[in-house]
Amino acid sequence: MARTKNANKPAKTGYSAVTKFLIASPTKVRPVANVIKRKSASEALAILENMTQKGARLIDGTLKSAVANALQANTKLDEDMLYVKEIRIDEGPRLKRVWFRGRGRADQLLKRMCHITVVVDEKAGK
């Protein structure tokens, strides 16, 4: 189960949410993250719901958490004015598993993990 750390306090750069130890390769999740970068939060959620990649589902939960943190920390914020200021996909630890091969040999299978950080902020123009 992935652990989610919610930062309810506004950071210097906005409101954030972090999800750690997701079993998904960062190289497969990053292209999905690049699609929603600098888009409004509602538009980004709509895009993620229509994508079929596993990374879209993982980022969707973290983005919803970041939006909820922003609205909880500042009640004067309008949900329509929020946008994805920063999204970062970092590499986590790797699970090492044995992969049995022919002739009694064995290889090492690496199950990669990633950490997702989403920062949302309010648009400057109201």
Side-chain angles (χ1 to χ4, degrees):
M1 189 68 177
R3 292 183 234 162
T4 302
K5 177 184 172 187
N6 294 325
N8 289 333
K9 296 179 185 176
K12 290 182 181 179
T13 59
Y15 303 90
S16 65
V18 179
T19 307
K20 294 187 170 190
F21 304 107
L22 298 169
I23 300 180
S25 176
T27 56
K28 292 182 181 180
V29 178
R30 281 187 190 116
V32 177
N34 290 336
V35 171
I36 65 164
K37 210 176 273 188
R38 293 180 296 277
K39 297 219 186 303
S40 69
S42 57
E43 183 182 353
L45 287 170
I47 290 170
L48 290 173
E49 286 178 5
N50 290 313
M51 293 182 87
T52 58
Q53 287 93 339
K54 177 182 178 180
R57 183 174 44 86
L58 300 174
I59 293 172
D60 184 55
T62 310
L63 179 58
K64 286 179 182 175
S65 181
V67 170
N69 289 340
L71 296 176
Q72 181 181 4
N74 188 351
T75 56
K76 295 179 183 177
L77 283 178
D78 184 16
E79 189 173 351
D80 297 329
M81 294 301 291
L82 292 175
Y83 76 103
V84 180
K85 184 172 189 173
E86 178 186 354
I87 183 163
R88 200 169 59 243
I89 312 297
D90 299 323
E91 190 169 331
R94 297 173 184 167
L95 294 174
K96 296 178 181 174
R97 299 290 180 255
V98 177
W99 188 14
F100 296 104
R101 306 303 299 260
R103 297 185 177 189
R105 295 189 183 116
D107 282 342
Q108 201 171 46
L109 180 66
L110 297 176
K111 292 187 175 263
R112 300 177 192 278
M113 291 189 206
C114 67
H115 306 315
I116 299 174
T117 305
V118 178
V119 178
V120 296
D121 202 4
E122 191 174 19
K123 292 179 185 172
K126 289 187 176 183

